[in-house]
Amino acid sequence: MTVTFPSELIERLRAAQSVAILTGAGVSAESGMPTFRDAQTGLWARYDPAELASPAAFRANPVLVWQWYAYRRALAEAAAPNPGHYALAELEQRIPDTTLITQNVDGLHHRAGSRNVVELHGNLTRYRCSDDGAPVEVTIVEKDAPPRCPRCGGLIRPDVVWFGELLPQHAWNMALAATRRCSLFLCIGTSGVVRPAADLPLIAQADGAYTVEINLAPGALAGQLNLHLYGPSGTLLPALVVAAFGERSSIG
Ligand code: BJW
């Protein structure tokens, strides 16, 4: 598929010394990972993801929330990065000061070869104690119910950020610093409704960066950034890298 991009975007990408990228669930949709605002399927069809991703949900029904994360971890392990993930890894090769800020917890950016990844909402494969907050090593993931913390007996939970919880301070600081120093900010596959991540493109824009949204369809950010490109990120991102830098190297 041939895609034509505005020449201003191509020129800014070629000239950029520093790029910040925010990704959301949409970038992994073409790897078969369900997004948050899509209806879930199968066993999980009757649950709203936004209601499972909260400390209150875990307190009320730790078994249910644990099983949901075990299911999503298995999905992520079976999934492969898609051409959108690989194109972003390629972009980092072309522009070394590229920071990939992701809200995703599936690890697919790392698996595609991106190195400078800031995980704002944690990672599905790490765990911590829900009582004392300390990291816990879980080698065999029990699918049915959360194990107990070997130190204090508290329930173990995934090391992800739920609604009402603070983002990891270091990750947030890294994301903010990259946002403030970039000349180009790409916002990809996110509904742009969950804060504080959704504030980042607007902060970049206020600081003078050229801001671009890539999404399947218009959403909360529509009309707010410098440029909006609508289409699947698995098609648009590889096409953008080729348009700016020529044929891709052998990443992926
Ligand atoms: C494609 C595509 C394709 C599909 N190609 N595109 C100010 C006002 C009101 C509320 C708040 C506020 N500030 C903070 C809050 C509260 C809350 C919040 O933002 N609520 C809003 C819903 C209103 N924020 C928080 O609680 C945050 N903490 C915080 O602010 O702490 C301070 C505080 C504490 C106490 C009180 C108040 C403040 C924490 C947020 C944590 C979010 N956690 C989750 C779960 C992570 C773990 C897990 O994965 O299970 O993060 S919720 C969920 O949403 C997940 C996602 O990372 C995040 C964003 O979702 P995302 O990625 O945008 O996915 P979707 O599904 O929404 O969108 C997919 C998009 O892709 C769509 O646009 C599609 O079109 C597109 N797409 N296919 C391109 N092929």
Side-chain angles (χ1 to χ4, degrees), residues 25 30 36-37 69 72 121 161 164-165 190-191 195 215 233:
E30 290 160 80
F36 274 81
R37 270 92 206 150
Y69 278 94
R72 288 176 56 211
H121 293 165
V161 182
E165 295 183 323
T190 177
S191 52
R195 299 174 69 186
N215 201 308
S233 53

Side-chain angles (χ1 to χ4, degrees), residues 23-27 29-30 35-38 53 68-69 72 103-105 121 160-167 188-196 214-217 231-234:
T23 64
V27 86
E30 290 160 80
T35 69
F36 274 81
R37 270 92 206 150
D38 284 343
W68 185 54
Y69 278 94
R72 288 176 56 211
Q103 299 168 85
N104 299 344
V105 297
H121 293 165
V160 298
V161 182
W162 285 329
F163 283 116
E165 295 183 323
L166 294 177
L167 273 57
I188 306 163
T190 177
S191 52
V193 293
V194 175
R195 299 174 69 186
I214 294 180
N215 201 308
L216 208 50
S233 53

Side-chain angles (χ1 to χ4, degrees), residues 60-82:
N61 197 339
V63 167
L64 178 76
V65 173
W66 180 264
Q67 289 178 350
W68 185 54
Y69 278 94
Y71 156 77
R72 288 176 56 211
R73 180 177 171 157
L75 271 187
E77 281 170 357
N82 67 58

